[in-house]
Amino acid sequence: MGTSRRLLGYVESRKNLTGSACGLAGVGIALTGAAGGLWPLVVAGLYAAGALIAPPERPDTPLFPSADEQLDALRADFTTLRDYLAEVDLPPAVGDRLTGLATLVEALLEPGWVSDPDHLHVLARAVRQDVPEAVDAFVRTRWWSRFTPGAEAPESHLERQLAALHEEMTAIAAALRDAEAIRQETHTRYVEDR
């Protein structure tokens, strides 16, 4: 089956098609009598020349998900993250900070807002890696901290991590706000100039 697939692949290849077209031109030359008794060599030579000048085969460009498809997958992952966070027992201050971060992320994930690949990457990293890792590390450290009284409270690290993540999300929101403000100003100038 592998040999027949390769043979069929060559039959459909650019090299064979170009060589065949040149070979047909050789048959036309032979029919006019210009090639004489060497017509098989002319046809074969033109086929070979055509096969050599044909552009090489190139693999198809891979299709990656569009920004909308990536956002749909990210929204599904965010729903999974929210379900996970609902099960975790957090101190009230940390819970409030996490709720604020989740609300901001949820707003950014609304359709039609984030289209910049860098912003999408930051959101995906926060949802799929940073927040789950921060909360899981807190839960694990809190369990072990009862054996080492007087050590730094694990809540402080979680609060710092959530503050840094909130700052990242706020920067994305500010960039979106600035882009919309520029769009609005541009439209105002356009309408006034008309």
Side-chain angles (χ1 to χ4, degrees), residues 34-64:
L38 300 175
W39 71 267
L41 291 175
V42 170
V43 171
L46 285 174
Y47 174 86
L52 286 174
I53 65 168
E57 295 293 323
R58 62 181 186 273
D60 293 332
T61 304
L63 296 175
F64 296 109

Short mmCIF file of all heavy atoms in Angstrom, two decimals, residues 34-64:
data_model
loop_
_atom_site.label_atom_id
_atom_site.label_comp_id
_atom_site.label_asym_id
_atom_site.label_seq_id
_atom_site.Cartn_x
_atom_site.Cartn_y
_atom_site.Cartn_z
N ALA A 34 9.53 17.26 -37.14
CA ALA A 34 10.77 17.99 -36.88
C ALA A 34 11.77 17.15 -36.11
O ALA A 34 12.98 17.40 -36.18
CB ALA A 34 10.46 19.28 -36.12
N ALA A 35 11.31 16.15 -35.35
CA ALA A 35 12.22 15.35 -34.54
C ALA A 35 12.78 14.16 -35.31
O ALA A 35 13.77 13.57 -34.89
CB ALA A 35 11.51 14.87 -33.28
N GLY A 36 12.14 13.78 -36.39
CA GLY A 36 12.61 12.66 -37.21
C GLY A 36 12.55 11.36 -36.42
O GLY A 36 11.62 11.10 -35.65
N GLY A 37 13.56 10.54 -36.62
CA GLY A 37 13.60 9.23 -35.98
C GLY A 37 13.99 9.30 -34.50
O GLY A 37 13.89 8.30 -33.79
N LEU A 38 14.40 10.46 -34.04
CA LEU A 38 14.78 10.61 -32.63
C LEU A 38 13.61 11.09 -31.75
O LEU A 38 13.83 11.55 -30.64
CB LEU A 38 15.96 11.58 -32.52
CG LEU A 38 17.23 11.18 -33.24
CD1 LEU A 38 18.26 12.29 -33.14
CD2 LEU A 38 17.78 9.90 -32.67
N TRP A 39 12.41 11.00 -32.28
CA TRP A 39 11.27 11.54 -31.54
C TRP A 39 11.13 10.97 -30.14
O TRP A 39 10.77 11.70 -29.21
CB TRP A 39 9.97 11.40 -32.35
CG TRP A 39 9.47 10.00 -32.48
CD1 TRP A 39 9.72 9.13 -33.47
CD2 TRP A 39 8.61 9.34 -31.55
NE1 TRP A 39 9.10 7.94 -33.24
CE2 TRP A 39 8.40 8.05 -32.05
CE3 TRP A 39 8.01 9.68 -30.35
CZ2 TRP A 39 7.61 7.10 -31.41
CZ3 TRP A 39 7.22 8.76 -29.71
CH2 TRP A 39 7.02 7.47 -30.23
N PRO A 40 11.42 9.66 -29.87
CA PRO A 40 11.31 9.19 -28.47
C PRO A 40 12.28 9.91 -27.55
O PRO A 40 11.95 10.22 -26.39
CB PRO A 40 11.62 7.70 -28.55
CG PRO A 40 11.40 7.31 -29.97
CD PRO A 40 11.71 8.52 -30.77
N LEU A 41 13.48 10.21 -28.04
CA LEU A 41 14.44 10.93 -27.21
C LEU A 41 13.98 12.37 -26.95
O LEU A 41 14.19 12.91 -25.87
CB LEU A 41 15.82 10.93 -27.86
CG LEU A 41 16.53 9.58 -27.92
CD1 LEU A 41 17.83 9.69 -28.71
CD2 LEU A 41 16.81 9.08 -26.52
N VAL A 42 13.37 12.99 -27.96
CA VAL A 42 12.87 14.36 -27.81
C VAL A 42 11.76 14.39 -26.76
O VAL A 42 11.75 15.25 -25.88
CB VAL A 42 12.39 14.93 -29.17
CG1 VAL A 42 11.66 16.24 -28.98
CG2 VAL A 42 13.56 15.08 -30.12
N VAL A 43 10.83 13.45 -26.86
CA VAL A 43 9.71 13.41 -25.90
C VAL A 43 10.25 13.14 -24.49
O VAL A 43 9.88 13.83 -23.53
CB VAL A 43 8.67 12.34 -26.31
CG1 VAL A 43 7.63 12.13 -25.21
CG2 VAL A 43 8.00 12.73 -27.61
N ALA A 44 11.14 12.16 -24.37
CA ALA A 44 11.70 11.84 -23.05
C ALA A 44 12.54 12.99 -22.51
O ALA A 44 12.48 13.32 -21.31
CB ALA A 44 12.55 10.57 -23.13
N GLY A 45 13.31 13.63 -23.38
CA GLY A 45 14.12 14.77 -22.95
C GLY A 45 13.27 15.94 -22.49
O GLY A 45 13.58 16.58 -21.47
N LEU A 46 12.21 16.23 -23.22
CA LEU A 46 11.32 17.33 -22.81
C LEU A 46 10.59 16.99 -21.51
O LEU A 46 10.37 17.86 -20.66
CB LEU A 46 10.34 17.69 -23.93
CG LEU A 46 10.97 18.46 -25.09
CD1 LEU A 46 9.96 18.63 -26.22
CD2 LEU A 46 11.46 19.82 -24.62
N TYR A 47 10.19 15.71 -21.36
CA TYR A 47 9.56 15.30 -20.09
C TYR A 47 10.54 15.51 -18.94
O TYR A 47 10.18 16.09 -17.90
CB TYR A 47 9.11 13.84 -20.14
CG TYR A 47 8.60 13.36 -18.80
CD1 TYR A 47 7.27 13.56 -18.45
CD2 TYR A 47 9.43 12.75 -17.87
CE1 TYR A 47 6.79 13.16 -17.21
CE2 TYR A 47 8.97 12.35 -16.65
CZ TYR A 47 7.65 12.54 -16.31
OH TYR A 47 7.18 12.15 -15.09
N ALA A 48 11.78 15.06 -19.11
CA ALA A 48 12.79 15.18 -18.05
C ALA A 48 13.08 16.65 -17.75
O ALA A 48 13.20 17.04 -16.57
CB ALA A 48 14.07 14.46 -18.46
N ALA A 49 13.17 17.47 -18.79
CA ALA A 49 13.43 18.90 -18.57
C ALA A 49 12.26 19.53 -17.81
O ALA A 49 12.47 20.33 -16.88
CB ALA A 49 13.64 19.60 -19.91
N GLY A 50 11.05 19.17 -18.18
CA GLY A 50 9.88 19.72 -17.47
C GLY A 50 9.85 19.28 -16.02
O GLY A 50 9.53 20.06 -15.12
N ALA A 51 10.20 18.01 -15.78
CA ALA A 51 10.21 17.51 -14.40
C ALA A 51 11.29 18.20 -13.59
O ALA A 51 11.10 18.44 -12.38
CB ALA A 51 10.41 16.00 -14.40
N LEU A 52 12.40 18.55 -14.22
CA LEU A 52 13.48 19.21 -13.49
C LEU A 52 13.17 20.67 -13.18
O LEU A 52 13.59 21.19 -12.15
CB LEU A 52 14.79 19.11 -14.27
CG LEU A 52 15.45 17.74 -14.28
CD1 LEU A 52 16.64 17.74 -15.22
CD2 LEU A 52 15.86 17.33 -12.89
N ILE A 53 12.47 21.36 -14.07
CA ILE A 53 12.20 22.78 -13.84
C ILE A 53 10.96 23.03 -12.98
O ILE A 53 10.72 24.15 -12.55
CB ILE A 53 12.07 23.57 -15.17
CG1 ILE A 53 10.87 23.09 -15.96
CG2 ILE A 53 13.34 23.50 -15.96
CD1 ILE A 53 10.50 23.98 -17.13
N ALA A 54 10.19 21.98 -12.75
CA ALA A 54 8.97 22.15 -11.94
C ALA A 54 9.33 22.54 -10.51
O ALA A 54 10.32 22.06 -9.97
CB ALA A 54 8.16 20.87 -11.94
N PRO A 55 8.52 23.40 -9.89
CA PRO A 55 8.80 23.75 -8.49
C PRO A 55 8.61 22.53 -7.59
O PRO A 55 7.79 21.66 -7.87
CB PRO A 55 7.77 24.83 -8.18
CG PRO A 55 6.70 24.66 -9.19
CD PRO A 55 7.33 24.05 -10.40
N PRO A 56 9.40 22.45 -6.53
CA PRO A 56 9.29 21.29 -5.64
C PRO A 56 7.97 21.29 -4.88
O PRO A 56 7.34 22.32 -4.69
CB PRO A 56 10.47 21.47 -4.68
CG PRO A 56 10.72 22.94 -4.67
CD PRO A 56 10.37 23.44 -6.05
N GLU A 57 7.60 20.10 -4.48
CA GLU A 57 6.40 19.96 -3.65
C GLU A 57 6.68 20.58 -2.29
O GLU A 57 7.80 20.50 -1.77
CB GLU A 57 6.02 18.49 -3.47
CG GLU A 57 5.60 17.80 -4.74
CD GLU A 57 4.30 18.33 -5.31
OE1 GLU A 57 3.39 18.66 -4.55
OE2 GLU A 57 4.21 18.41 -6.55
N ARG A 58 5.69 21.19 -1.71
CA ARG A 58 5.85 21.73 -0.37
C ARG A 58 4.65 21.29 0.46
O ARG A 58 3.53 21.18 -0.06
CB ARG A 58 5.99 23.24 -0.39
CG ARG A 58 4.80 23.97 -0.93
CD ARG A 58 5.05 25.48 -0.94
NE ARG A 58 3.88 26.18 -1.33
CZ ARG A 58 3.53 26.45 -2.58
NH1 ARG A 58 4.29 26.06 -3.56
NH2 ARG A 58 2.42 27.08 -2.84
N PRO A 59 4.89 21.03 1.71
CA PRO A 59 3.78 20.58 2.57
C PRO A 59 2.78 21.71 2.77
O PRO A 59 3.13 22.89 2.69
CB PRO A 59 4.46 20.18 3.88
CG PRO A 59 5.77 20.91 3.87
CD PRO A 59 6.15 21.11 2.43
N ASP A 60 1.56 21.33 3.03
CA ASP A 60 0.52 22.31 3.30
C ASP A 60 0.84 23.05 4.59
O ASP A 60 1.38 22.47 5.54
CB ASP A 60 -0.85 21.63 3.43
CG ASP A 60 -1.32 21.05 2.11
OD1 ASP A 60 -0.92 21.57 1.05
OD2 ASP A 60 -2.08 20.06 2.14
N THR A 61 0.50 24.32 4.61
CA THR A 61 0.68 25.12 5.81
C THR A 61 -0.27 24.60 6.89
O THR A 61 -1.45 24.36 6.61
CB THR A 61 0.36 26.60 5.52
OG1 THR A 61 1.18 27.02 4.44
CG2 THR A 61 0.61 27.47 6.73
N PRO A 62 0.22 24.40 8.10
CA PRO A 62 -0.67 23.90 9.15
C PRO A 62 -1.74 24.94 9.50
O PRO A 62 -1.49 26.14 9.46
CB PRO A 62 0.26 23.65 10.34
CG PRO A 62 1.47 24.48 10.07
CD PRO A 62 1.58 24.64 8.58
N LEU A 63 -2.90 24.45 9.80
CA LEU A 63 -4.00 25.32 10.19
C LEU A 63 -4.06 25.38 11.71
O LEU A 63 -4.22 24.35 12.37
CB LEU A 63 -5.33 24.80 9.63
CG LEU A 63 -5.43 24.78 8.11
CD1 LEU A 63 -6.74 24.14 7.69
CD2 LEU A 63 -5.32 26.19 7.55
N PHE A 64 -3.89 26.57 12.24
CA PHE A 64 -3.97 26.76 13.68
C PHE A 64 -5.31 27.41 14.01
O PHE A 64 -5.90 28.10 13.17
CB PHE A 64 -2.82 27.65 14.16
CG PHE A 64 -1.47 27.01 13.95
CD1 PHE A 64 -0.60 27.47 12.99
CD2 PHE A 64 -1.09 25.93 14.72
CE1 PHE A 64 0.63 26.88 12.79
CE2 PHE A 64 0.15 25.32 14.54
CZ PHE A 64 1.01 25.80 13.57
#
